Amino acid sequence: MSELFRRFGRLGGGLVLATALLWALLLIVLPQLWMVDLSFRPNLPVAARGGPEDGWTLANYAALWANPLHRTIFWQTIWSSLLVTLLALVVCYPVAFHLAQEAKGTQALLLATALVIPFWVNEILRTFSWFLILARNGLVNRLLLALGLIEEPLALGGVGAVMIGMVYAYVLFMIFPLYNALESLDRNQIEAARDLGASTWRIHWRVVIPHAKPGIAVGCVMTFMLAAGTFAVPQIMQSLPGGTNARWFTQIIYSYFFDGGDWNRGSAYAFALLLLCIFFIMAMMRLFRVGLRDIAK
Amino acid sequence: MQRAEVALEGVGLAYGAFWAVRFVDLTVRPGEFFSILGPSGCGKTTILRLVSGFVEPSEGVIRIDGRDVRGVGPAHRPTALVFQNLAQNLALFPSMRVWENVAFGLEVRGVVKAQRRRLAEELLELVALPGFAEKRIDELSGGQCQRVAIARALAVEPKVLLLDEPLSVLDLELRQHMRAELKAIQRRTGVTFVYITHDQGEAFTMSDRVAVMSQGRIEQVGTPTEIYDAPATAFVASFVGESNPLPGRVEGSAGGFARITTALGPLRARDPRGLAPGSAAILIVRPERCRLDEAGEGNGPADRLARAEDAPVNRIEGRLVRIDFEGAFANLGRSQPGRAHLESPGGERRPPLPARGRGPCGRTLPGRSGTRTPRGPARP
């Protein structure tokens, strides 16, 4: 902050700071506050707003609790996002460890490139590639048919398909924080543990994972937030045969805003999701005993 | 605790076409404090990694207690490694308490927690760190980390402890203290120590025997005094201690002494190998064997000392043109002929240094200090 003033002078620094604050206020704080306000008001025709029926109410939140379908989808979204996070961690940890500690020179470069290239393609297309793999006439069904393992194409849609799509869509957000954390681990520590007789499992459990905790926490928080807040992946994967049951809570929020025209209910649902996500971040930080400072790194 | 012999027989390790070490024959005796001394990049750490099992030799055999250990991983060799003092933490585990670090090897072996704790405290006692069990690694000083690392390695009751320049980052005073401490720990435990260093002071003060390495080869193995007083090769002579190398040609040899013609004229020197007349040789003079005299007849204090020790006296005349005072030594620049830079000893017995450029001065080299070594690197 003082660096900013030193470099641009009092006026220049003040302008830069004011711009940033204005940006945050206009585009982040005010809309959020407005949404929170909306979520506590009834959905009224324009003419009735500010009238006798208008006022603070918990009805929108109560509606989420009262609607068994929405409640189920809400918990299912949270649960699936947790599973997606866990899956992504399981998939990414060995890759990140290999990349950070074992791969050398060209091999490391090739591996990193192979990981990054799919991310030059946008999320919709990346998800769509999984759609094609799992479709009725997709790769998996054709392979199984060709091998004579099945008679009829399988309906591969569902929550599982959505989760696969998400794990694929978000691996990088898990790998890079993990890689960063693992890369800073002194190789000698691994060798010291090995020299003292520790098994691979114990080396990871006692030496590598404790060191990588901040990276694991960051990766999990990012993946979970992306998974819980995604709209595109479930939207695409639902079109698979058998996929209609895999509804995501974000889709309900979307439909209240843009199909139902009930912004108040939509806001309440969105805010409920946000609260739960914040709770998740806190829980992860507590679980891995990391502070906000570590996460910000 | 047990002790073991470590033997390397014709060991070599190649990375592609490059031999990191080759033709290494060494036997470290049970219970010995053995140092491998050499400049950085000479392959000494490679030897440690070979013995500990992190790399397998491309050729040759490594035996620990007579048993060929090829194919036995580091976890299953009776060795424990104390890592280089990189970034001060010696590969200690920062997420664990001091006692957990020390007891990690026991945890691996399934020792129950109460016993682990007790053994860890015993070991901390041994390395003079009582009461440090609950401390975190980042609360320790460099020397304390050092001791924890040694305790951690000793916890698995190794027969051989391998130490890779563990003192290199410590400051001078602490380093000297830790030398004594390490030697004491070695005596108390009786474990065979193999100690890697580029610091001859460390190697000489602690070791029973020293191997000097250069460019992946062993140059000489011997006690510190053997290495210092009778270097086997020109490399050992120049790497170990200060020295004045004087290349020349052997004129003749008799009674364990040789006459050798150098740029400073004919000199007499010890000739332990009985070199043939006419062969090229390098005469090595240790600076502490040089005495500074006034020019003139051979009756100065250095001459009297040399006569008392009944050794031939080499005397070089010259004009002093430069003095670089270094504490224990002074580098004296000398005018014609040859402009060789000889070093004069400091310390108690040193004569007062003459002022620069003040008259001619003579320098006597008692012959027993000269050691002739064959020119060029000798290979077994």
Side-chain angles (χ1 to χ4, degrees):
Chain A
M1 190 77 86
S2 57
E3 166 71 20
L4 192 73
F5 283 110
R6 203 178 55 73
R7 183 173 291 185
F8 297 108
R10 198 173 282 259
L11 183 70
L15 268 175
V16 171
L17 206 63
T19 314
L21 284 178
L22 195 71
W23 176 282
L25 192 73
L26 271 183
L27 297 177
I28 302 169
V29 179
L30 284 181
Q32 296 286 331
L33 284 177
W34 183 57
M35 260 187 60
V36 173
D37 178 61
L38 266 186
S39 73
F40 286 107
R41 289 177 186 280
N43 184 28
L44 296 170
V46 181
R49 280 183 204 160
E53 292 160 78
D54 206 348
W56 302 98
T57 171
L58 285 171
N60 293 315
Y61 292 92
L64 169 58
W65 191 251
N67 186 326
L69 180 64
H70 289 180
R71 213 170 57 215
T72 312
I73 293 175
F74 180 74
W75 290 121
Q76 187 186 296
T77 300
I78 299 297
W79 174 242
S80 307
S81 301
L82 281 174
L83 279 181
V84 166
T85 308
L86 190 70
L87 263 169
L89 179 62
V90 169
V91 170
C92 294
Y93 179 84
V95 180
F97 181 78
H98 180 74
L99 194 60
Q101 289 284 335
E102 294 169 349
K104 287 191 186 81
T106 328
Q107 199 203 352
L109 197 71
L110 279 177
L111 188 56
T113 314
L115 280 170
V116 172
I117 284 180
F119 282 75
W120 296 350
V121 177
N122 75 46
E123 188 181 329
I124 310 270
L125 284 180
R126 252 183 292 144
T127 312
F128 198 69
S129 64
W130 269 103
F131 177 85
L132 292 178
I133 291 170
L134 298 175
R136 189 173 176 82
N137 280 317
L139 198 68
V140 175
N141 271 327
R142 283 205 207 167
L143 195 71
L144 292 176
L145 280 170
L147 289 172
L149 292 172
I150 51 171
E151 306 270 292
E152 284 288 298
L154 298 173
L156 294 167
V159 181
V162 174
M163 282 177 17
I164 288 177
M166 280 192 199
V167 170
Y168 182 65
Y170 303 131
V171 271
L172 269 205
F173 298 92
M174 181 64 92
I175 282 194
F176 279 116
L178 281 181
Y179 171 81
N180 266 338
L182 290 168
E183 209 256 329
S184 63
L185 175 65
D186 181 6
R187 246 199 97 70
N188 278 348
Q189 284 192 23
I190 297 172
E191 294 202 337
R194 200 141 68 90
D195 186 51
L196 292 168
S199 58
T200 305
W201 185 87
R202 192 184 294 271
I203 289 172
H204 280 276
W205 185 247
R206 293 285 276 150
V207 179
V208 184
I209 291 177
H211 177 86
K213 263 189 339 193
I216 295 175
V218 173
C220 286
V221 165
M222 291 228 279
T223 311
F224 179 80
M225 297 297 277
L226 284 167
T230 185
F231 182 75
V233 179
Q235 190 77 7
I236 293 169
M237 298 307 264
Q238 247 164 43
S239 316
L240 284 170
T244 40
N245 66 336
R247 289 200 74 189
W248 222 247
F249 196 63
T250 46
Q251 294 173 299
I252 299 175
I253 298 173
Y254 178 92
S255 65
Y256 271 116
F257 270 95
F258 298 102
D259 303 333
D262 188 347
W263 284 35
N264 306 77
R265 184 81 83 88
S267 299
Y269 279 29
F271 196 57
L273 187 62
L274 178 67
L275 275 182
L276 211 85
C277 287
I278 290 172
F279 172 79
F280 175 77
I281 295 179
M282 300 295 202
M284 287 304 284
M285 280 165 53
R286 178 62 74 81
L287 183 68
F288 287 101
R289 292 202 192 85
V290 291
L292 265 182
R293 196 181 293 269
D294 300 308
I295 296 212
K297 272 193 289 195
Chain B
M1 289 193 197
Q2 298 156 298
R3 42 181 70 181
E5 181 187 85
V6 179
L8 283 79
E9 297 164 10
V11 168
L13 176 70
Y15 292 108
F18 169 72
W19 288 88
V21 296
R22 203 167 190 193
F23 307 127
V24 172
D25 287 292
L26 273 184
T27 303
V28 181
R29 295 167 193 150
E32 188 172 41
F33 198 123
F34 189 90
S35 287
I36 299 176
L37 175 65
S40 60
C42 73
K44 52 195 193 300
T45 298
T46 304
I47 291 193
L48 218 60
R49 294 177 66 78
L50 282 163
V51 174
S52 58
F54 283 105
V55 283
E56 291 283 356
S58 314
E59 61 180 33
V61 179
I62 296 172
R63 292 181 200 282
I64 298 175
D65 258 353
R67 178 171 147 240
D68 184 353
V69 288
R70 181 172 284 277
V72 182
H76 300 107
R77 293 194 184 184
T79 58
L81 193 50
V82 176
F83 284 79
Q84 206 160 3
N85 199 342
L86 292 169
Q88 296 265 326
N89 74 357
L90 299 126
L92 295 175
F93 308 126
S95 61
M96 300 180 204
R97 303 267 155 185
V98 164
W99 81 267
E100 290 177 296
N101 262 282
V102 174
F104 185 76
L106 304 169
E107 179 191 320
V108 166
R109 282 155 182 76
V111 178
V112 295
K113 189 170 173 181
Q115 198 184 348
R116 277 202 319 257
R117 176 73 193 239
R118 193 174 51 73
L119 287 168
E121 299 208 348
E122 276 176 28
L123 282 158
L124 287 171
E125 198 91 27
L126 178 81
V127 295
L129 283 179
F132 275 69
E134 281 298 334
K135 287 218 189 286
R136 289 203 319 270
I137 297 302
D138 55 17
E139 293 173 317
L140 304 182
S141 69
Q144 290 164 347
C145 279
Q146 190 56 64
R147 291 174 221 202
V148 173
I150 290 165
R152 182 178 71 175
L154 287 173
V156 299
E157 301 197 0
K159 293 177 177 176
V160 182
L161 195 65
L162 308 164
L163 302 103
D164 188 2
E165 305 216 29
L167 307 184
S168 55
V169 181
L170 305 183
D171 59 52
L172 183 66
E173 202 180 328
L174 188 56
R175 208 156 60 215
Q176 283 172 343
H177 176 70
M178 282 306 293
R179 283 180 195 172
E181 198 87 337
L182 269 179
K183 184 73 194 159
I185 291 170
Q186 196 258 342
R187 283 217 193 87
R188 278 201 289 272
T189 58
V191 172
T192 310
F193 272 41
V194 179
Y195 190 93
I196 297 292
T197 182
H198 65 271
D199 180 329
Q200 60 179 55
E202 273 175 26
F204 283 3
T205 46
M206 293 188 289
S207 315
D208 299 313
R209 284 191 309 147
V210 177
V212 182
M213 273 192 85
S214 165
Q215 298 183 350
R217 313 288 175 91
I218 300 283
E219 295 272 334
Q220 187 177 4
V221 181
T223 64
T225 28
E226 280 167 12
I227 300 271
Y228 190 79
D229 288 340
T233 66
F235 173 82
V236 175
S238 63
F239 184 73
V240 175
E242 300 287 324
S243 64
N244 297 289
L246 302 169
R249 193 161 293 280
V250 179
E251 295 298 325
S253 166
F257 286 91
R259 285 192 316 285
I260 178 165
T261 312
T262 69
L264 297 176
L267 297 170
R268 280 163 61 81
R270 263 194 310 173
D271 178 18
R273 282 181 209 78
L275 294 181
S279 57
I282 300 172
L283 187 140
I284 303 290
V285 187
R286 296 283 184 208
E288 69 272 21
R289 299 295 193 185
C290 302
R291 302 281 181 278
L292 201 59
D293 258 340
E294 291 296 325
E297 286 309 302
N299 230 344
D303 297 310
R304 288 197 296 276
L305 180 70
R307 272 199 295 278
E309 291 182 6
D310 195 25
V313 172
N314 290 305
R315 196 179 169 87
I316 304 164
E317 299 262 339
R319 184 177 293 273
L320 188 65
V321 294
R322 208 185 80 233
I323 301 171
D324 305 330
F325 182 66
E326 265 191 45
F329 296 109
N331 295 314
L332 303 182
R334 180 184 159 279
S335 67
Q336 299 300 317
R339 293 194 73 83
H341 287 229
L342 296 181
E343 285 150 5
S344 158
E348 298 280 308
R349 292 197 297 173
R350 84 170 182 218
L353 290 170
R356 195 179 335 199
R358 237 186 57 196
C361 76
R363 201 166 290 98
T364 49
L365 310 169
R368 55 176 287 263
S369 68
T371 296
R372 294 169 3 139
T373 60
R375 190 192 274 279
R379 297 283 181 235

